[in-house]
Amino acid sequence: MAFEALGEILDETLKLPVKDKVYVVPPPSAATGLRVQAIMQAAAVAADGGKIDDAVLADAAERDMYRDVLGTAHAEMVADDVAWPTLKHCAVTAMVWIVQNKDSAERYWNSGGDPSRLAPNRQQRRSSSAAANKTRSRGSSSGTKPHQGNRAGGKKRAPRQ
């Protein structure tokens, strides 16, 4: 068995629908992909209160990251005069795609960039917690039976009248 060409088995583009047009984001170069990975990792470290690698962030500041991650779609969006929030959402979606995968990028896209909308909706949370509440807990695994009204010495209490 021989390896198939990746272009034939992988869709290496990201298709972003904006109003009446679909912008096709080509796959990033290896250098762009590695740079985005490093920047996103530095951002995650910073978000957790860690020390930021100034060299990584300086590299990002030197280049137009949105142009790089959107590729040819960037020029199309600028020519079509899309709004800044739209271009930004497209670029961040592309970064999620580069760092994670298409499924994650789709979830980010559909959330409108709102982290609270990435969580399951209220109905899903309710049905999940309802199912969890119906799950019976396991019994004791210590091998002892729970106390069932026996007094010390094994005598049972007389029923109250």
Side-chain angles (χ1 to χ4, degrees), residues 13-16 23-28 32-33 36-37 40 65-71 73-74 77 86-102 104-106 108-109:
T13 61
L14 189 63
K15 295 169 181 73
L16 303 176
Y23 292 96
V24 179
V25 179
T32 297
V36 171
Q37 285 275 7
M40 296 296 269
M65 182 60 65
Y66 288 177
R67 184 191 71 230
D68 291 346
V69 299
L70 291 172
H74 182 273
M77 290 179 189
T86 300
L87 188 132
K88 181 179 177 182
H89 187 64
C90 290
V92 174
T93 299
M95 289 201 279
V96 171
W97 170 54
I98 292 167
V99 173
Q100 295 179 11
N101 55 42
K102 277 189 181 179
S104 297
E106 184 178 330
Y108 178 82
W109 177 268

